[in-house]
Amino acid sequence: VQLQASGGGLVQAGGSLRLSCAAPRNIFSVNEMGWFRQAPGKERQLVGSIHKGGSGKVEDSVKGRFTISRDNVKDTVYLQMNSLKPEDTAVYYCYAYLILGGGNFTEVVYWGQGTQVTVSS
């Protein structure tokens, strides 16, 4: 089971990108979703998270520039990134807490494959 992330790329400082991440279809329950990022030589850090039916929140380092949202029909989480800075350059990983169903009702976190975001100065 893997999430499908897309939307990364190369952008100039001040530009915008929108990341998307979809959970597989036919999942019993898709609960919390969100994004981490990892810059070269640094630890993976949380960017934002959103619960089903709840408002999303982002970390202070990106507040006012990034917005997290989700579509519960498509089981997709989005990260709208505006006013991008070179320090936002990283591989962005989405995650989701899933209950697969079909007899398996344990909530487990799953990850996307990572999408590169590069911001040039």
Side-chain angles (χ1 to χ4, degrees):
V1 176
Q2 188 172 49
L3 310 180
Q4 293 298 320
S6 61
L10 172 64
V11 65
Q12 288 188 332
S16 298
L17 284 173
R18 188 192 194 207
L19 306 184
S20 301
C21 177
R25 305 302 293 173
N26 301 316
I27 297 295
F28 179 80
S29 183
V30 181
N31 299 329
E32 179 184 321
M33 305 183 80
W35 295 90
F36 277 76
R37 67 183 181 184
Q38 188 166 22
K42 295 188 176 181
E43 293 185 354
R44 192 174 293 194
Q45 65 172 171
L46 177 67
V47 178
S49 61
I50 185 166
H51 291 269
K52 184 187 298 187
S55 58
K57 60 179 181 179
V58 296
E59 296 301 292
D60 288 345
S61 59
V62 301
K63 195 167 291 184
R65 300 187 297 120
F66 291 11
T67 303
I68 190 168
S69 61
R70 67 186 283 169
D71 183 329
N72 290 329
V73 174
K74 297 180 179 179
D75 288 330
T76 298
V77 61
Y78 304 97
L79 186 67
Q80 178 65 45
M81 306 185 293
N82 299 327
S83 302
L84 282 161
K85 303 176 181 179
E87 51 263 43
D88 295 319
T89 295
V91 178
Y92 284 69
Y93 297 91
C94 62
Y95 72 91
Y97 284 87
L98 307 179
I99 298 175
L100 299 183
N104 183 352
F105 295 99
T106 301
E107 185 183 66
V108 178
V109 62
Y110 292 89
W111 293 88
Q113 76 277 20
T115 184
Q116 177 71 46
V117 171
T118 303
V119 184
S120 63
S121 56

